[in-house]
């Protein structure tokens, strides 16, 4: 994984795309086929616009795989889709406790903090995510938007 994270942070070239894909693939493996199915079902329900069903699958996943960071990050997305930012932020904190380099969780945290008006912490989350994965367009856009806001320039 260390080599993948090194390639992910490279400023030039396109090898970061492969590294990103490899990291996300590794993170999607819980170590249990049954838990991987719960993750897939939860993600599919989110993709299908059914966050309540996703929340059921992902809660079962986090209950049975409490050390699986991606499970908590995915459940945070379901909570956020239901407008429940408190539990979502709590799940992101758990995901980051388990895997501090979980850049999707950091970017998602930045977005949620931005939505709740906590601009300073949102910007810090976006910047932390970009320190790990400097090519993430969502984090780049979020940080730029908040930096403009801090500078007093409306968008």
């Amino acid at each position: 994984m260390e080599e993948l994270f090194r390639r992910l942070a490279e400023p030039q070239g396109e090898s970061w795309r492969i590294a990103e894909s490899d990291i996300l693939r590794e993170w999607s493996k819980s170590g249990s086929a049954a838990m991987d199915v719960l993750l897939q079902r939860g993600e599919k329900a989110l993709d299908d616009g059914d966050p309540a069903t996703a929340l059921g699958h992902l809660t079962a996943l986090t209950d049975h795989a409490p050390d699986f960071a991606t499970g908590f990050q995915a459940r945070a997305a379901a909570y956020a889709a239901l407008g429940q930012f408190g539990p979502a932020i709590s799940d992101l904190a758990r995901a980051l406790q388990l895997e501090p380099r979980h850049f999707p969780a950091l970017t998602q945290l930045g977005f949620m903090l931005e939505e709740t008006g906590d601009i300073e912490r949102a910007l810090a989350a976006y910047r932390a995510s970009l320190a790990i994965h400097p090519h993430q367009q969502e984090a780049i856009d979020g940080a730029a938007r908040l930096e403009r806001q801090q500078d007093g320039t409306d968008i």
Side-chain angles (χ1 to χ4, degrees):
M1 287 292 274
E2 295 308 315
E3 174 60 19
L4 291 174
F5 277 102
R6 188 194 62 71
R7 287 192 356 237
L8 185 68
E10 286 178 0
Q12 310 265 333
E14 295 293 314
S15 70
W16 68 266
R17 291 183 192 277
I18 296 168
E20 175 188 54
S21 179
D22 290 348
I23 290 167
L24 294 174
R25 185 173 27 263
E26 281 302 309
W27 281 347
S28 72
K29 298 175 186 173
S30 68
S32 161
M35 296 305 103
D36 291 349
V37 168
L38 286 173
L39 177 62
Q40 291 165 3
R41 287 181 180 167
E43 288 176 335
K44 182 176 182 332
L46 280 172
D47 290 344
D48 291 346
D50 187 357
T53 297
L55 186 60
H57 292 303
L58 297 168
T59 295
L61 171 60
T62 57
D63 286 350
H64 295 290
D67 295 327
F68 183 43
T70 297
F72 285 95
Q73 186 265 328
R75 189 171 74 168
Y79 275 130
L82 292 167
Q84 298 179 21
F85 280 16
I89 289 172
S90 178
D91 273 1
L92 292 174
R94 178 67 178 144
L96 291 166
Q97 181 183 40
L98 293 166
E99 174 50 77
R101 299 176 296 186
H102 205 291
F103 53 87
L106 283 164
T107 299
Q108 191 176 352
L109 179 61
F111 178 77
M112 280 192 257
L113 290 169
E114 182 178 358
E115 285 292 305
T116 62
D118 192 343
I119 303 306
E120 286 184 30
R121 288 179 50 209
L123 184 55
Y126 286 136
R127 286 177 175 160
S129 188
L130 288 169
I132 298 162
H133 183 355
H135 307 285
Q136 286 180 93
Q137 197 58 52
E138 293 168 352
I140 291 167
D141 293 345
R145 184 174 50 251
L146 295 181
E147 287 166 353
R148 282 192 305 269
Q149 224 176 47
Q150 280 188 332
D151 292 341
T153 306
D154 285 337
I155 11 181

